[in-house]
């Protein structure tokens, strides 16, 4: 019997497979997609996620554009903070990298890791249960057994739904993104730029090769059923964003996701662990999802020996670490969205952060994973 079956080879599942394989475990990794595959995302990886990639010695392969901090544009002005203190190579930094490249790099690294059997184009349809325990999955109609099953199958996790554990946050939020290659003579960007507007947010991530990603996030009803139209209208309303896009060429189709935020409504049964977005997806307005996926995988790998013996204590420790990181982003995200919906409060916050520039840093460092 295999040690661990992982369903889903996004950042959570693929990085877990690499970490477990390198620790000597036997792993089967399944993904319904074939790589490279694209997916809607803001593509900004925070310093905590970069730290996990560094520990896996994958930062060179992932490459990406270094990100130095976050700037919020609100009520006609802006406030900015770096990710933390430190000089040169020691300064914490994020990375902007396209998902099509990031995920393909992680998949390739997982597939060549000793002990990992990676199969793409393979869909998990259900779970195997014995005596109240999950003992495996059904992949393309075939039963596959393991000592531990990890469902890392994303925010609309089929395995979580099969267990009746799906919970979607209300009001529902939606997101859409496109890539643009900017004109060569434009000043390069190095921060994640977030425009907090009434009813929606725009999100810009600098990427390699003069590209940027522009995403729009909104409550479902803000786009009145036309998220693509909303995206174009909202971008056109921001003079600074319009300026950044002067002479730019759109390099990808608009791609969206709904709902943005979901989680598990209860604990998983023994034998199964939910990881990454399948455990809980956070609002992209704090750019935390990728880092949470990578951090969750890192913690799981550290506890793997004890988890495979069925240790309840190890499971509690793992769940506490996984869920606490999610709570930090939920809390920060709720704060940012509260400002987006209340112009007076936003104006006060902007003035406060402008008057005391250091006051924003702890929040950005916390989001970044300090
Ligand atoms: C608009 C938007 C903007 C975002 N911006 C950011 C950002 O800037 N920064 C950030 O950190 N996060 C951002 N996120 C969140 C980020 O995309 C997710 O948190 C991240 O993808 C979670 O990784 P994961 O590995 O858990 O799941 P996923 O990346 O969703 O991977 C799940 C994998 O499971 C596979 N799968 C699904 N079902 C099955 C099945 N039944 N059988 C086999 N395989 C299956 C899928 O093919 C997929 O490869 C954003 C999300 C959206 C929608």
């Amino acid at each position: 019997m295999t040690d661990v079956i992982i369903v889903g080879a996004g950042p959570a599942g693929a990085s877990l497979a690499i970490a477990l394989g390198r620790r000597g475990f036997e792993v089967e990794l399944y993904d319904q997609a074939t790589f490279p595959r694209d997916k809607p995302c803001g593509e900004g990886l925070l310093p905590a996620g970069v730290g996990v990639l560094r520990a896996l010695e994958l930062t060179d392969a992932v490459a990406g554009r270094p990100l130095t901090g976050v700037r919020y544009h609100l009520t006609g002005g802006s406030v900015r903070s770096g990710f933390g203190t430190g000089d040169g190579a020691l300064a914490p930094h994020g990375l902007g990298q396209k998902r099509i490249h990031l995920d393909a790099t992680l998949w390739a690294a997982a597939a060549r890791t000793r002990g990992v059997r990676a199969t793409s184009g393979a869909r998990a349809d259900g779970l195997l249960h014995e005596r109240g325990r999950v003992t495996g999955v059904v992949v393309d109609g075939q039963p596959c057994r393991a000592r531990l099953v990890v469902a890392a199958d994303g925010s609309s996790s089929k395995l979580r739904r099969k267990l009746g554990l799906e919970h979607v946050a209300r009001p529902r939020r939606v997101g859409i993104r496109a890539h643009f290659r900017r004109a060569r003579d434009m000043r390069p960007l190095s921060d994640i730029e977030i425009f907090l507007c009434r009813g929606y947010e725009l999100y810009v991530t600098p990427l390699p090769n003069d590209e940027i990603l522009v995403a729009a996030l909104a409550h479902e009803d803000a786009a009145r059923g036309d998220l693509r139209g909303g995206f174009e209208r909202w971008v056109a309303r921001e003079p600074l964003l319009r300026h950044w896009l002067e002479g730019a060429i759109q390099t990808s189709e608009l791609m969206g996701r709904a709902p943005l935020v979901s989680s598990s409504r209860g604990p998983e049964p023994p034998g199964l662990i939910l990881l990454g977005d399948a455990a809980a997806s956070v609002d992209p307005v704090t750019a935390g999802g990728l880092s949470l996926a990578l951090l969750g995988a890192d913690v799981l790998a550290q506890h793997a020996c004890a988890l495979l013996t069925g240790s309840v204590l190890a499971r509690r420790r793992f769940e506490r670490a996984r869920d606490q990181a999610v709570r930090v982003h939920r809390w920060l995200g709720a704060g940012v969205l509260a400002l987006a919906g209340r112009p007076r409060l936003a104006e006060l916050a902007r003035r406060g952060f402008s008057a005391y520039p250091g006051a924003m840093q702890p929040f950005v460092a916390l989001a970044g994973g300090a």
Side-chain angles (χ1 to χ4, degrees), residues 104-147:
T105 303
L106 294 176
W107 169 263
R112 62 170 184 267
T113 301
R114 187 195 290 256
V116 178
R117 214 176 72 202
T119 314
S120 60
R123 183 190 309 263
D125 308 310
L127 293 162
L128 303 172
H129 301 262
E130 276 164 44
R131 292 189 291 272
R133 217 188 136 75
V134 171
T135 52
V137 287
V138 181
V139 180
D140 290 335
Q142 297 299 315
C144 309
R145 292 191 159 73
R147 294 163 69 196

Side-chain angles (χ1 to χ4, degrees), residues 8 29 77 103 119 130 173 191 211 214 224 250 277 282 297:
L29 174 67
D103 292 24
T119 314
E130 276 164 44
R173 301 241 306 146
D191 289 330
E211 280 191 277
V214 181
R224 291 185 218 98
Q250 190 169 336
D277 271 12
V282 296

Side-chain angles (χ1 to χ4, degrees), residues 8 10-12 31-32 37 39 41-42 44 99 124 153 203 277 287 289-290:
D31 201 291
Q32 63 189 11
R37 65 104 179 83
K39 75 173 291 153
C41 181
R99 286 298 297 269
D153 51 345
Y203 185 112
D277 271 12
L290 290 169

